[in-house]
Amino acid sequence: MTILTSYLPTIFSSLFRVAIYIFLRVIPSTLGKPILPTLYFAYLLSCILFPRRPGPIKSEKVQHAQSARRHDVLSTLILSLPTTSRSLRISNALLNTLLLIAAADFVTTPYLDSAADAVFTRVGAVYPDSVKIVVRYPHNNTTGGTPLLLYRELADSNTTGWEDGPLLTLTPDQDWVDTVKVEGLWPNTSYECFDLLADYLYSQSQSTTSGLSKGVKEADFMLFLGDFIYADVPIYIGDDKEAYRRLYRRNYHSASFRKIYERLPNQATRLHLLTSAQFINNFGASGNDSTPPYLNASGAFRLYNSNANFDPMLPGEHYYEFRYGDAAFFVMDTRRYRTAVGTSNRTMLGETQLAFLYEWLSRVNGTSTFIFVVTSVPFTSLWGHDAQFDSWAGFPEEKQALLTAFHSIPNVILLSGDRHEFAAIEFTSPNPESYPVLEFSTSPLSMFYIPFVRTLRLQSDSFVLKNRTRTISTENGLEIVNFVEEVPLERVIKYIPTGNSKWSTLEIDSTNITSPKLKLETMIDGSMGFSYDLTGFPVKMQTSTAIGAFVVGGVKDIINKFGIKPSKWF
């Protein structure tokens, strides 16, 4: 037996363990499906064909050295080193078998664990006079009857009786999920909801702590920027309605995710975007809903997530807009209408959604201090790899047209995800009268990142010339010097590729509309990773003429005494 063949088991075992580590701890690539079994069986076969047998004892010195190597058990097990010890060879084989079983468990659990008994409630979109609530409650957990939502004002909980809310329609066809809207509420008023299943839905041990970790301020609402499920990681589940629903059930049923949505304050809205991982990687339907797996994948997304979003701008769509205070948000659908690579006049949003976006921009310009455009994929073209065709970099004409519009409006900020990294990007326009545009891209909340590999360039190859001034100290005193600076069209302000858990918080202070302020804080694996303070451009706000805007709590209380409780003023 040659030296090479005697080391074949060690080589295959080491490769197998490295691949297992990458698959389980770095990135669960679909390549693991063929690679891991191949390396494992190659290791077993090499152990059978080229076993390590004890050689003849040549001298007392050699015998002593061999004895020392045999007793180095830890090194032999960790590195799969050749050994004449039968027990250590068997131990190595068992260890590799256990690692393969761990990988198999990771792959098969989404199939075997149906989470059919998952029970949850959550708050969706919160309007001035209504709120959406999602409930999942399988009937096999009940004693019969139709569940009813009850609610009342929190301040009057000791004196006010429960008011009847909507009935919950829970059927197996809809996977025991329903989204209802409680209407007729007062603005700026806290309510509590109660339903006939509350003892089961809200256990006494449920935490009421707000925030995602220690030190995070209480959230008013949360935006999930996509990849809520992974339909093709580690392997594709198939174009099956139940398979997609099962992935959503498992997320809501998981203890780790409950730590997030159960710790949000009761009034906090959770809003969702539709992204490729909720179909299959880099998916686009080209406006054709029959494109597999759009119907099954979007159906599960609609049932569990998007029905609770703010109402879409057109019935049946996934893009929508909303306001919070004097900040405006437009949430894109970047998957349903995107056309394939190589298509002429390639579009991400489609003609109708694009028209709604432009109309919305004209409407909120001058009525909002900060304007947020939410896209599931990065708007910047600085990310490489598949982002060059899956993100907005692959739609250069549509991106440039939108960017021109964004530059014409003060305080436009893009929010994005998808790349499993954090980046803050600044966009500059050649037009000296234009406004800068910022993008904050944050992901993932809980998923892999790839160490050592960096796919984000720090600036674009194209530059513009900007006239600048600075003050310098001279013998004659302070002087203002004019100079010309080359500024990249896109540049990175901050880049953080590391971390399995990332999220960003945004805090807006618009009490002074001539100098509105925004503070971004990014948490990386539970610790502060980046903080950014922005002073926005002054905005000449249009004055509201809605009478309801001037109705104060005292007037409301007086009207309540007369038993008059209008759902809204106009």
Side-chain angles (χ1 to χ4, degrees):
M1 183 168 61
T2 65
I3 295 178
L4 177 61
T5 55
S6 67
Y7 274 89
L8 278 179
T10 297
I11 294 172
F12 284 123
S13 179
S14 298
L15 289 174
F16 172 74
R17 292 180 183 184
V18 170
I20 280 285
Y21 179 81
I22 293 173
F23 184 71
L24 294 179
R25 302 301 301 168
V26 180
I27 176 171
S29 169
T30 54
L31 295 176
K33 184 178 178 181
I35 290 176
L36 294 179
T38 300
L39 289 175
Y40 175 77
F41 287 111
Y43 160 72
L44 288 183
L45 187 62
S46 64
C47 288
I48 295 171
L49 295 178
F50 309 107
R52 181 84 171 187
R53 295 185 176 89
I57 299 176
K58 298 180 181 179
S59 67
E60 184 178 344
K61 184 176 180 179
V62 173
Q63 183 180 11
H64 176 75
Q66 289 176 340
S67 176
R69 284 197 296 270
R70 282 199 300 269
H71 286 86
D72 195 2
V73 175
L74 189 59
S75 298
T76 301
L77 289 177
I78 293 176
L79 303 176
S80 299
L81 296 176
T83 177
T84 58
S85 170
R86 185 171 182 271
S87 61
L88 286 180
R89 294 200 303 272
I90 293 175
S91 297
N92 262 322
L94 288 175
L95 181 58
N96 286 343
T97 302
L98 289 175
L99 290 173
L100 185 66
I101 291 173
D105 175 72
F106 179 56
V107 170
T108 58
T109 295
Y111 295 88
L112 302 178
D113 177 19
S114 67
D117 59 345
V119 175
F120 71 89
T121 62
R122 72 172 181 90
V123 176
V126 177
Y127 297 85
D129 59 351
S130 59
V131 60
K132 290 184 177 182
I133 295 177
V134 186
V135 175
R136 185 181 195 272
Y137 198 89
H139 270 193
N140 56 7
N141 289 319
T142 72
T143 57
T146 302
L148 173 70
L149 267 174
L150 306 175
Y151 69 95
R152 65 185 177 189
E153 285 191 33
L154 188 60
D156 300 330
S157 59
N158 294 325
T159 59
T160 305
W162 294 100
E163 296 189 37
D164 289 348
L167 293 174
L168 294 164
T169 304
L170 304 172
T171 64
D173 289 344
Q174 296 300 308
D175 207 20
W176 308 109
V177 179
D178 192 21
T179 300
V180 294
K181 196 172 188 179
V182 182
E183 300 181 297
L185 307 179
W186 284 93
N188 298 319
T189 305
S190 296
Y191 289 85
E192 59 179 342
C193 267
F194 177 88
D195 61 64
L196 300 182
L197 310 174
D199 289 341
Y200 190 94
L201 293 172
Y202 303 103
S203 64
Q204 295 300 317
S205 62
Q206 176 176 322
S207 170
T208 58
T209 304
S210 298
L212 298 180
S213 73
K214 183 178 180 181
V216 178
K217 299 179 178 66
E218 184 174 280
D220 292 313
F221 65 91
M222 174 179 281
L223 277 167
F224 279 82
L225 301 183
D227 290 358
F228 184 75
I229 65 168
Y230 279 84
D232 56 353
V233 174
I235 59 175
Y236 181 45
I237 61 171
D239 184 12
D240 178 74
K241 178 171 66 177
E242 168 56 23
Y244 279 100
R245 289 180 174 183
R246 183 170 63 243
L247 292 179
Y248 283 92
R249 290 197 302 265
R250 294 187 70 248
N251 270 9
Y252 281 107
H253 198 48
S254 70
S256 59
F257 187 51
R258 283 186 180 274
K259 292 178 182 178
I260 296 174
Y261 71 80
E262 287 184 352
R263 291 187 180 186
L264 286 173
N266 290 335
Q267 74 274 16
T269 304
R270 269 193 36 239
L271 305 171
H272 290 263
L273 284 72
L274 193 58
T275 57
S276 68
Q278 289 159 220
F279 295 97
I280 192 170
N281 195 36
N282 298 339
F283 173 80
S286 299
N288 181 3
D289 289 357
S290 63
T291 304
Y294 183 81
L295 290 177
N296 287 326
S298 65
F301 171 75
R302 190 183 303 277
L303 187 65
Y304 276 89
N305 286 354
S306 77
N307 282 343
N309 289 339
F310 285 94
D311 293 336
M313 305 185 82
L314 282 177
E317 299 293 348
H318 292 298
Y319 52 90
Y320 56 95
E321 55 125 337
F322 67 97
R323 298 182 69 95
Y324 189 81
D326 54 13
F329 294 79
F330 187 99
V331 181
M332 298 177 176
D333 177 356
T334 63
R335 292 295 164 184
R336 189 175 192 177
Y337 298 102
R338 67 162 56 205
T339 51
V341 177
T343 306
S344 59
N345 299 320
R346 194 179 183 211
T347 179
M348 172 89 78
L349 304 181
E351 183 177 340
T352 303
Q353 182 178 183
L354 198 59
F356 271 109
L357 176 54
Y358 281 124
E359 185 275 332
W360 173 81
L361 286 170
S362 66
R363 183 159 35 90
V364 299
N365 184 19
T367 65
S368 307
T369 50
F370 287 99
I371 296 171
F372 295 92
V373 180
V374 186
T375 166
S376 66
V377 292
F379 200 77
T380 181
S381 299
L382 296 180
W383 259 295
H385 194 47
D386 61 340
Q388 285 299 300
F389 60 85
D390 184 60
S391 73
W392 282 95
F395 303 80
E397 293 83 7
E398 193 165 272
K399 172 190 172 179
Q400 185 54 52
L402 281 172
L403 194 54
T404 300
F406 296 157
H407 279 305
S408 68
I409 302 171
N411 307 329
V412 173
I413 296 174
L414 293 149
L415 303 177
S416 65
D418 183 66
R419 300 312 301 172
H420 295 220
E421 297 177 329
F422 170 83
I425 311 291
E426 182 183 51
F427 299 85
T428 302
S429 171
N431 183 354
E433 303 298 323
S434 66
Y435 298 96
V437 174
L438 293 177
E439 177 177 6
F440 300 122
S441 186
T442 311
S443 62
L445 182 62
S446 178
M447 238 303 172
F448 62 85
Y449 78 95
I450 302 177
F452 311 119
V453 178
R454 303 293 177 257
T455 62
L456 182 69
R457 293 182 295 136
L458 296 183
Q459 63 183 32
S460 62
D461 296 329
S462 300
F463 292 81
V464 294
L465 298 178
K466 290 286 186 180
N467 294 320
R468 306 293 196 195
T469 61
R470 68 179 172 211
T471 303
I472 62 173
S473 179
T474 66
E475 295 179 353
N476 299 323
L478 297 179
E479 290 186 8
I480 297 177
V481 177
N482 298 316
F483 64 98
V484 177
E485 181 184 9
E486 269 194 343
V487 179
L489 289 177
E490 299 181 24
R491 73 175 184 92
V492 174
I493 299 172
K494 184 67 175 181
Y495 177 42
I496 307 176
T498 58
N500 294 106
S501 179
K502 307 183 188 75
W503 67 85
S504 294
T505 62
L506 293 168
E507 185 176 352
I508 297 172
D509 180 1
S510 58
T511 51
N512 181 1
I513 61 174
T514 63
S515 182
K517 300 186 183 305
L518 180 145
K519 183 178 184 64
L520 174 131
E521 293 181 344
T522 300
M523 307 295 291
I524 309 294
D525 291 336
S527 301
M528 180 70 69
F530 177 62
S531 180
Y532 185 79
D533 292 287
L534 170 69
T535 300
F537 292 90
V539 178
K540 187 177 181 180
M541 303 288 285
Q542 299 178 12
T543 304
S544 172
T545 59
I547 297 177
F550 301 96
V551 178
V552 296
V555 175
K556 188 197 78 171
D557 294 336
I558 294 173
I559 295 176
N560 277 342
K561 298 295 184 182
F562 292 96
I564 302 173
K565 296 184 178 182
S567 61
K568 55 185 178 180
W569 290 94
F570 292 96

